[in-house]
Amino acid sequence: MRVYLFIAAVAGGATWLITPLIRHIAIYIGAVGRVRARDVHTIPTPRMGGLGMLIGFVVAMLFASRIPFISGLFTANHQAWVVMAGAIMICLLGMADDLWDLDWMLKLAGQLLISVFVAWGGLQIISLPLGSLVTASPTLSMAITAFLIVASINAVNFVDGLDGLAAGIVAIGGIAFGLYSYILARSSPSYASMATLIDVALVGVCIGFLLHNWHPAKLFMGDSGSMLLGYLITCASIVMTGHLDPASLHTSVYVPVFMPILLPILVLFLPVLDMCLAIVRRLSKGQSPMHPDRMHLHHRMLKIGHSVQGAVLILWGWAALISFGSVTILFFPVRYVVIGFLVAAAVLTVLTMLPYLRRRIPEIMEEDAAYSKHHAAQHVCPQSERGADRPISEAGNKSRDAEKDTDRPSQA
């Protein structure tokens, strides 16, 4: 564990140190995001922070390759180098978008090509938990791998709308997934795990960048950063599936077998949910799935009345609840996990809706008071609204007319 903590510290320190330089480079070459209608920030801010995150990740991996405990992971196969090569390519694609605002179809094509390259290089989902563990064909493995990578890349990209939001959510998911992969690795002859290594380096990168990206952010990660984070957290999951041998698994570990497929979705539940809602919303309006709008989850949090920091912290809370809830269910009795989950969900729901309730409850009370006053006024003279068709005396008519004149406001 101390080795992994050291790697996380190296990744975080390298990212924190290099990010100010990247900011100056971004300003110099013009990678400064203009303020768009859908943006929350009000002043142009440099982006391309993903380059600093990439440097932090690569430095941490190179350090790891020289540590005896982990160095065997770099010599046993080429997975580590394939992951780093894919990270460099995906970051370069994102940098191109940060500079020139690429067309979404061109960017998607680049993501798909890089994902296929990574899958072709040996980073594939080998086993599928379909009723029982099934070894997928090479073609199917490459297709599923590419799909998962592209989906995760765009999910993180969609949720990157507030200072610190995407980096925090991915860091939380990385911690949950890293703990899970570390616990699984302890049952193997060697505690060394490529999945855990990628996760701890990813968490370190996110924390190092967050120190510059907390509101008000000095630098945005841009597409170079959001795409890199989505790529890395999915790679860690895919690496883990390569260590699941269908012949050696039995019923007692059958449920954890699903986790390498489900956990990337669960740790990125908010980004995936936001992406799915955005695609459905835009297609229903006849728009492109990549058409920008101000209806993302973070935009809705701001509309409720949260500050930027408050919205980010609450969304972090939801991400932590789902990520750690999905992991702890593997190691603790289900009933305890469910009870804790429901209690935490209730607290987060109240916190999420608190600004709306603070504003709406006084409005409801005012509306009820106005309705009660109006209802009472209608019952002051009940006889004035009924019995008009009954024969009454002339004196009664004069008396009623006098009452109407005194009760009604003057219409002059």
Side-chain angles (χ1 to χ4, degrees):
M1 178 60 75
R2 287 177 293 179
V3 173
Y4 291 128
L5 292 177
F6 172 73
I7 296 300
V10 169
T15 304
W16 179 73
L17 290 173
I18 199 66
T19 296
L21 176 61
I22 300 301
R23 181 178 184 273
H24 289 295
I25 294 174
I27 295 173
Y28 179 77
I29 65 177
V32 179
R34 66 184 188 276
V35 180
R36 301 163 295 187
R38 69 179 186 271
D39 290 331
V40 175
H41 65 282
T42 56
I43 58 175
T45 305
R47 46 190 180 180
M48 209 171 72
L51 178 58
M53 303 168 82
L54 173 68
I55 293 173
F57 177 76
V58 172
V59 168
M61 294 294 282
L62 293 178
F63 261 87
S65 67
R66 295 297 181 179
I67 298 177
F69 173 69
I70 304 177
S71 59
L73 298 174
F74 293 82
T75 57
N77 53 56
H78 302 293
Q79 278 189 337
W81 308 109
V82 171
V83 170
M84 283 192 281
I88 293 171
M89 289 188 289
I90 205 71
C91 186
L92 289 175
L93 176 63
M95 289 171 58
D97 185 67
D98 292 338
L99 281 169
W100 301 302
D101 286 327
L102 303 178
D103 180 77
W104 72 270
M105 293 188 67
L106 178 61
K107 187 165 60 173
L108 185 63
Q111 294 170 358
L112 186 59
L113 287 174
I114 294 170
S115 301
V116 171
F117 165 79
V118 171
W120 176 77
L123 198 74
Q124 296 181 16
I125 293 178
I126 299 174
S127 304
L128 302 174
L130 303 174
S132 59
L133 271 179
V134 176
T135 302
S137 66
T139 303
L140 182 59
S141 294
M142 289 182 65
I144 295 175
T145 300
F147 172 78
L148 282 178
I149 292 176
V150 171
S152 298
I153 286 172
N154 286 285
V156 177
N157 192 17
F158 271 56
V159 83
D160 181 29
L162 295 180
D163 297 343
L165 180 58
I169 287 178
V170 173
I172 291 168
I175 293 172
F177 194 89
L179 290 174
Y180 169 70
S181 60
Y182 177 75
I183 291 173
L184 287 188
R186 289 175 63 89
S187 61
S188 62
S190 172
Y191 286 3
S193 167
M194 180 60 67
T196 308
L197 175 61
I198 296 173
D199 275 317
V200 297
L202 175 62
V203 171
V205 162
C206 291
I207 294 174
F209 184 74
L210 270 173
L211 298 177
H212 299 281
N213 189 236
W214 186 247
H215 184 77
K218 302 179 181 68
L219 176 70
F220 294 154
M221 68 172 64
D223 278 23
S224 57
S226 61
M227 288 166 41
L228 176 66
L229 296 184
Y231 165 81
L232 289 177
I233 197 167
T234 308
C235 284
S237 170
I238 294 171
V239 167
M240 183 180 295
T241 64
H243 296 282
L244 296 175
D245 182 10
S248 64
L249 292 170
H250 48 82
T251 305
S252 63
V253 295
Y254 182 72
V255 174
V257 169
F258 286 89
M259 280 297 114
I261 304 294
L262 297 179
L263 204 53
I265 300 174
L266 294 173
V267 299
L268 295 177
F269 180 79
L270 289 183
V272 170
L273 174 64
D274 192 28
M275 179 180 68
C276 293
L277 291 176
I279 291 174
V280 172
R281 181 173 64 248
R282 294 164 185 176
L283 290 178
S284 64
K285 295 179 180 178
Q287 299 172 339
S288 163
M290 299 297 177
H291 183 78
D293 57 28
R294 288 181 61 88
M295 295 296 291
H296 290 286
L297 292 177
H298 50 272
H299 290 132
R300 296 174 187 269
M301 292 290 288
L302 296 179
K303 288 181 180 179
I304 289 174
H306 289 284
S307 64
V308 173
Q309 297 96 325
V312 170
L313 290 173
I314 290 175
L315 290 173
W316 282 5
W318 282 109
L321 175 62
I322 297 170
S323 300
F324 287 98
S326 60
V327 172
T328 54
I329 201 171
L330 300 173
F331 307 105
F332 297 96
V334 175
R335 61 181 180 276
Y336 297 139
V337 176
V338 171
I339 292 172
F341 184 93
L342 293 177
V343 171
V347 173
L348 285 172
T349 300
V350 173
L351 293 175
T352 301
M353 300 303 299
L354 190 58
Y356 174 80
L357 295 175
R358 284 177 175 173
R359 184 180 69 252
R360 185 59 182 151
I361 289 177
E363 293 176 355
I364 294 174
M365 293 177 66
E366 290 179 4
E367 292 172 0
D368 288 343
Y371 175 78
S372 299
K373 187 181 296 183
H374 176 71
H375 190 65
Q378 287 182 335
H379 286 277
V380 170
C381 48
Q383 297 298 326
S384 64
E385 298 179 358
R386 58 185 179 180
D389 55 340
R390 297 177 183 175
I392 57 177
S393 65
E394 183 177 352
N397 286 334
K398 291 181 180 180
S399 176
R400 182 173 301 170
D401 291 339
E403 290 179 359
K404 290 181 180 178
D405 292 338
T406 56
D407 290 342
R408 292 179 180 175
S410 174
Q411 299 188 7

